[in-house]
Amino acid sequence: MAAERGARRLFSTSSLWLYCLLLLFGRPAPGAAAARSGSPPQSAGASIRTFTPFYFLVEPVDTLSVRGSSVILNCSAYSEPSPKIEWKKDGTFLNLVSDDRRQLLPDGSLFISNVVHSKHNKPDEGYYQCVATVDSLGTIVSRTAKLTVAGLPRFTSQPEPSSVYAGNSAILNCEVNADLVPFVRWEQNRQPLLLDDRVIKLPGGTLVISNVTEGDGGLYRCIIESGGPPKYSDEAELKVLPDPEETLNLVFLKQPSSLVRVIGQSTVLPCVASGLPAPAMRWMKNEETLDTEGSERLVLLAGGSLEISDITEDDAGTYFCIADNGNETIEAQAELTIQAQPEFLKQPANIYAHESMDIVFECEVTGKPTPTVKWVKNGDMVIPSDYFKIVKEHNLQVLGLVKSDEGFYQCIAENDVGNAQAGAQLIILEHDVAIPTLPPTSLTSATTDHLAPATTGPLPSAPRDVVASLVSTRFIKLTWRTPASDPHGDNLTYSVFYTKEGIARERVENTSRPGEMQVTIQNLMPATVYVFRVVAQNKHGFGESSAPLRVETQPEVQLPGPAPNIRAYATSPTSITVTWETPLSGNGEIQNYKLYYMEKGTDKEQDVDISSHSYTLNGLKKYTEYSFRVVAYNKHGPGVSTQDVAVRTLSDVPSAAPQNLSLEVRNSKSIMIHWQPPSPATQNGQITGYKIRYRKASRKSDVTETLVTGTQLSQLIEGLDRGTEYNFRVAALTVNGTGPATDWLSTETFESDLDETRVPEVPSSLHVRPLVTSIVVSWTPPENQNIVVRGYAIGYGIGSPHAQTIKVDYKQRYYTIENLDPSSHYVITLKAFNNVGEGIPLYESAVTRPHTVPDPTPMMPPVGVQASILSHDTIRITWADNSLPKHQKITDSRYYTVRWKTNIPANTKYKNANATTLSYLVTGLKPNTLYEFSVMVTKGRRSSTWSMTAHGTTFELVPTSPPKDVTVVSKEGKPRTIIVNWQPPSEANGKITGYIIYYSTDVNAEIHDWVIEPVVGNRLTHQIQELTLDTPYYFKIQARNSKGMGPMSEAVQFRTPKADSSDKMPNDQASGSSGKGSRLPDLGSDYKPPMSGSNSPHGSPTSPLDSNMLLVIIVSVGVITIVVVVIIAVFCTRRTTSHQKKKRAACKSVNGSHKYKGNSKDVKPPDLWIHHERLELKPIDKSPDPNPIMTDTPIPRNSQDITPVDNSMDSNIHQRRNSYRGHESEDSMSTLAGRRGMRPKMMMPFDSQPPQQSVRNTPSTDTMPASSSQTCCTDHQDPEGATSSSYLASSQEEDSGQSLPTAHVRPSHPLKSFAVPAVPPPGPPTYDPALPSTPLLSQQALNHHIHSVKTASIGTLGRSRPPMPVVVPSAPEVQETTRMLEDSESSYEPDELTKEMAHLEGLMKDLNAITTA
């Protein structure tokens, strides 16, 4: 039997899982659909092509050659396999096969023999480029090299006869083209001239001879030797004259000229002067003297020229050549401009990509002038288009990749100085091959989602209902629904592929986050048809594509084009006139124009509306540059703006005087004047000089004027009178005139020329007067008045006088040191100084006074603190600040402090954070936790109190820890029943709404093969019965809350005990079949009830009687049964008529019970069984029932004998029932069958299983009340032939849908089983169809006290019966109780019950009389 039951249970379980598998996997997988569509997924382990090294080892360089010579342009490239080398000249490939003079060397270099060059035929001169090609990879090109062939010998200037005084310098001109300079040499008297430190040749070919001697005289000529016959210049005689012993004015024989040179080159700034005495030459750069003796790069050549080698960018500037012979000084200047060849700051990087992606090759270059950048793909120029764009000046963006885009891309930078190239390789992978990790700069933001590697598994189907929800001129918004294969789609990302209709190149745009089902495609063209398709992607890869969607963008509004021929010119120092013409594409009538203008260096643009084609702006700043642009308007709005044009207003006289005028007395006859230019905004033009006016203070009308040209900012005025006061003022000059002058500034010349060969002596006294934040310093001058004092230096600091120094005029006798710290000890020093240096210091110290500041008044606390819950760990706190203006804009340095805490546990400390805005995002909180928040504001030293608190509870989160302390124990006396105990998760993250217990005999089984037991959330223990003996079981528990399921606990092993004597009685009797109205089968007369004193299988307590007592009871029962049968037979023949009336009344009561629906609580039929319990079951009531009420499962069970519960018991009966059931545990039990709600109900024959230990209290909606009424109204015969009342038949055929838990009671007294007609059972409860029954109803009822009513059948008089069922209902909640009482139907009317009571009492008297006899 056990084997058969196990087989049936296994069959049912297998059938159930087979059904579930068909539901889950009955439809074809997305991958299968993809395979049918012709795109079978490839292996994730597909090989990835690697980047191939392909680069130039040597590139050609600029070369200078001469006619008839041979030239080699070097080039060598590296690759595996070896590349094919070709050459281009001026952008055209050379045919080297048929060329006699040009040939390709084995390393790839180009050899040109016998260079051809003439005035009208220059076939070899030009730009050469080396091209390397590998057929399977691509093509790269080298930098461009210029081959220059020296021209025909020609002189631009020739030497002329000259004379020079001995000791002076001489020059002989011989100017040729720059490319011929290397081929120029000089001869003296037809002999080669040897060059040395005294005789040099300048870069242009000019000969310079310094410190001329008599031997330098003679005939000179220059020769050009450039490969052909030499070219001779005219001969010129140089005469050397004797020293005339008189002075000669200085003159420049050769002045420097502005030059442009490249970094790394060398140059010579020529400068040769002549005069007597012979001048000394020196150089200055930007007003700084150059040290040519201590520098390795700067060399002073013969005659005074300056040679600069290895030029750097710092060498740029203005150079001054100064010739000075002691009597006279002359100077000349030249500008040196430095250029730099292009250099790469960032070279393009190799890129892996998929088709339809967008990529960017990055290229950053530097150079001077700024290089231009062009891109080459496989040797061909990339022409910018809709799909190839130059972005950020130098970067190449390729949109919508196709397979043909593979190859080598090169960034070529070029400026006036040279060019350079750098390249990278693009490899396009198949879609199912993951992109290897590369620097993120190689992909645009629209394609970075493709970097995730794919795994094998089912792919999503095509997204559904792709529509264009918004169509504009330049963008389209697409929306769609999730694929049918994944209706939730929370983990899906989507790629939108789109292209212009008729173009094969697709572009892709990805959604920004998983689950998002819309995307906006930007930068489209107006009135253009685009084709869109959407592909979903999961962790396994791309799925099916949606059907193409054809959408046309809106046509753009016809706006005016730019106004042509915009011009701007200054008409005065404060006005500019701008003119333009009507736009060529006006697209309708032009309504007006808007002129925008902006001052250079600012970002504020102003505008003015104009209806004509010209406008004059007045009130502009003088000599200031402005930019202008014009926008035409028609009825549709503004059109295209013109390009900016810039113009500067005319200059004017300065509007302000020079600044910082100062006077310095040098001696008794001279005063030095210093000043600074006017502020730039007031110069109104280029300052060309300054006008100095001075006069004696006593004769103000006699003004002397001195003019200073250039940018000089000082002037020494000499020839003044001794001891005389003079007034000075300075005015700035522009080409327009003289600006305002400074105020008159006075100083006095010395009475006599004081001594300035030594420093001044120590000041005679020093006094200090400290204040809170300042110290007043006063002093007297040194006692020795014969030494010049030009000023005083005051040093001060805390503890040291050397922290800061202030210099004041020599006339000043006091000074206030400001911005000091209160209550601080300062050391002060005073020194007199002159041009020789500073004198001896005088020291003093002082302590500043303390600063008493009243305590700042507190600020008002923030108000309106609100906590907005954003997630399970994030809350946003916002507030308002009444001390701010109405717009709540923070303009000062205040900040806010937010604090928060939770009261669980009670001693939690506050956490704080600072914010500078009126909100703060608090993160890292615990889920489902109440927090309180408050805010305070701080500004400087002022702070507010804490604001009123705001509270917020974070959202729940799925449990992040499993239930803990899981234990499994066997139930005492029931080895096939175990009790599982546990504790809630430590991280529940919300209210636990339930638990799921998984158990299996195989710990390694898949989790969906484990048996599931659901338990409500307020339970921490559960009983599981019907387990196999001597079998190891593994248990796991999982908690759930409103957010979902938490993790499972570790598996706990438990082995059920072996079978013992108490387990031999039937333990698997089913409580009923799942069919409606089924009759319980008879057990047969050979059934032997258990004789042991253990508890009955269903938990009914038995009297603790010994075996002798049981034997007496059995004999007594047999005797009484025989007597009762005889009496009943007699009684029934005498009272047949009365009994039929009672039966008809019972039938009427059942069939008409609807009349009393809802009032059954008012009917109190007498229950003699309760009185019998009071008399006979007192010892039993004290015995606790070890079998508690059990947890419901979805499978209802039928009891053998179901006795109704009297809902109208009086209060003392309720108390007795509560007391009787009070010792029962609230553990729940269930059977092995039906652990999951998805399992079907199983039909189990009654005789195939012993009585069940577990009984379900599950309401069933399948119950039909007709079975009860039909049985009641039919004369029923007991199957065993024993006479029974109609109640017995009714109770045996009662539908199990009443779902009342039952327990069997063995009769322990003859009177207990006495056949007295019992109260007929009520009809099955009728449930509202709108409220289907669920197992939760009985689970909730487990918290209440449980009543039990024990019944016995009259059939026990004739034969041994199994234990009688005891009704153990679960008291539902108050609302459920009320509803059930109202829905129950009364079986008896009050008058019928009264008659029945009288009949029963008479029967009892007869029985007592017979027993006594």
Side-chain angles (χ1 to χ4, degrees), residues 333-542:
Q333 69 181 44
E335 192 79 17
L336 177 60
T337 303
I338 304 300
Q339 293 183 338
Q341 292 187 349
E343 290 185 6
F344 288 98
L345 301 177
K346 187 172 188 179
Q347 297 189 5
N350 295 332
I351 296 178
Y352 282 114
H354 290 140
E355 285 191 89
S356 303
M357 292 174 67
D358 300 342
I359 64 166
V360 174
F361 284 108
E362 295 186 348
C363 179
E364 293 185 21
V365 296
T366 182
K368 201 171 184 180
T370 302
T372 59
V373 171
K374 60 183 179 181
W375 284 85
V376 171
K377 177 205 168 188
N378 290 334
D380 297 326
M381 185 75 65
V382 174
I383 300 175
S385 64
D386 291 343
Y387 297 97
F388 289 86
K389 297 182 178 181
I390 304 298
V391 295
K392 294 185 180 179
E393 297 183 1
H394 299 151
N395 298 341
L396 174 65
Q397 183 181 36
V398 185
L399 306 178
L401 289 175
V402 295
K403 192 67 177 177
S404 60
D405 291 332
E406 272 194 343
F408 286 87
Y409 291 77
Q410 290 176 274
C411 174
I412 299 179
E414 185 177 13
N415 63 7
D416 296 340
V417 183
N419 62 90
Q421 63 83 24
Q425 185 180 5
L426 170 63
I427 293 179
I428 297 180
L429 304 174
E430 298 298 330
H431 273 291
D432 58 349
V433 179
I435 296 178
T437 302
L438 278 179
T441 55
S442 61
L443 298 176
T444 64
S445 60
T447 61
T448 53
D449 292 338
H450 292 269
L451 297 177
T455 58
T456 57
L459 301 175
S461 58
R464 298 172 291 175
D465 302 339
V466 180
V467 295
S469 58
L470 183 60
V471 179
S472 182
T473 56
R474 295 188 181 272
F475 70 88
I476 292 177
K477 182 178 181 181
L478 295 179
T479 58
W480 57 88
R481 292 199 303 125
T482 56
S485 62
D486 194 346
H488 296 292
D490 295 336
N491 297 321
L492 295 180
T493 58
Y494 299 89
S495 297
V496 178
F497 296 87
Y498 65 98
T499 181
K500 289 183 182 179
E501 191 175 45
I503 296 179
R505 183 182 292 272
E506 271 190 328
R507 296 187 60 192
V508 63
E509 185 77 24
N510 295 322
T511 53
S512 59
R513 62 181 182 273
E516 186 178 21
M517 288 178 289
Q518 65 178 23
V519 71
T520 301
I521 310 297
Q522 305 276 2
N523 302 320
L524 303 180
M525 298 298 295
T528 305
V529 177
Y530 289 87
V531 179
F532 299 88
R533 62 186 184 91
V534 184
V535 179
Q537 181 185 16
N538 60 13
K539 63 180 179 180
H540 306 302
F542 285 97

Side-chain angles (χ1 to χ4, degrees), residues 699-969:
R699 299 178 62 183
K700 296 184 178 181
S701 59
D702 188 6
V703 177
T704 304
E705 193 173 274
T706 299
L707 193 63
V708 178
T709 59
T711 58
Q712 187 174 333
L713 298 176
S714 63
Q715 180 66 28
L716 181 64
I717 306 297
E718 298 180 304
L720 304 179
D721 295 340
R722 296 173 179 268
T724 305
E725 183 180 358
Y726 285 87
N727 299 332
F728 294 85
R729 67 191 309 180
V730 181
L733 302 175
T734 63
V735 293
N736 302 89
T738 305
T742 63
D743 294 332
W744 291 101
L745 188 62
S746 301
T747 190
E748 185 178 350
T749 56
F750 297 142
E751 190 66 36
S752 59
D753 290 336
L754 301 179
D755 183 12
E756 201 172 1
T757 60
R758 51 192 177 131
V759 298
E761 295 183 358
V762 63
S764 55
S765 67
L766 174 62
H767 302 280
V768 295
R769 183 165 64 91
L771 300 176
V772 177
T773 59
S774 61
I775 297 177
V776 179
V777 183
S778 59
W779 63 90
T780 55
E783 293 182 357
N784 187 355
Q785 299 289 322
N786 296 322
I787 302 176
V788 175
V789 176
R790 298 199 176 276
Y792 295 92
I794 304 171
Y796 65 95
I798 298 178
S800 172
H802 306 297
Q804 295 190 46
T805 302
I806 297 171
K807 291 187 176 182
V808 298
D809 188 72
Y810 73 96
K811 294 183 179 180
Q812 198 160 337
R813 296 293 181 265
Y814 68 91
Y815 183 80
T816 302
I817 306 174
E818 304 283 354
N819 301 322
L820 304 180
D821 295 333
S823 302
S824 300
H825 183 273
Y826 284 88
V827 179
I828 301 168
T829 180
L830 177 70
K831 295 178 286 186
F833 68 89
N834 56 21
N835 291 336
V836 178
E838 295 179 343
I840 301 173
L842 191 61
Y843 291 91
E844 191 63 78
S845 63
V847 178
T848 51
R849 298 179 183 177
H851 183 54
T852 57
V853 179
D855 294 335
T857 57
M859 300 184 69
M860 295 179 60
V863 297
V865 181
Q866 293 183 351
S868 302
I869 293 86
L870 302 182
S871 68
H872 67 275
D873 64 348
T874 305
I875 295 180
R876 180 182 294 278
I877 308 301
T878 58
W879 60 88
D881 191 345
N882 284 343
S883 61
L884 291 176
K886 289 184 178 180
H887 55 72
Q888 292 286 292
K889 186 176 182 181
I890 302 173
T891 58
D892 49 26
S893 59
R894 71 181 61 198
Y895 65 92
Y896 301 89
T897 303
V898 182
R899 71 173 184 179
W900 65 92
K901 64 169 290 190
T902 178
N903 292 326
I904 302 175
N907 58 350
T908 305
K909 296 182 179 180
Y910 279 103
K911 292 186 178 181
N912 297 282
N914 291 336
T916 57
T917 59
L918 296 177
S919 66
Y920 183 75
L921 200 65
V922 182
T923 58
L925 303 179
K926 295 181 180 178
N928 193 41
T929 304
L930 175 65
Y931 287 88
E932 65 176 38
F933 303 87
S934 55
V935 187
M936 67 179 293
V937 60
T938 303
K939 177 181 178 184
R941 299 178 57 195
R942 301 173 59 201
S943 297
S944 72
T945 58
W946 290 105
S947 68
M948 297 182 66
T949 58
H951 295 82
T953 303
T954 51
F955 293 151
E956 291 188 0
L957 183 67
V958 295
T960 53
S961 66
K964 57 185 180 179
D965 301 338
V966 180
T967 59
V968 181
V969 296

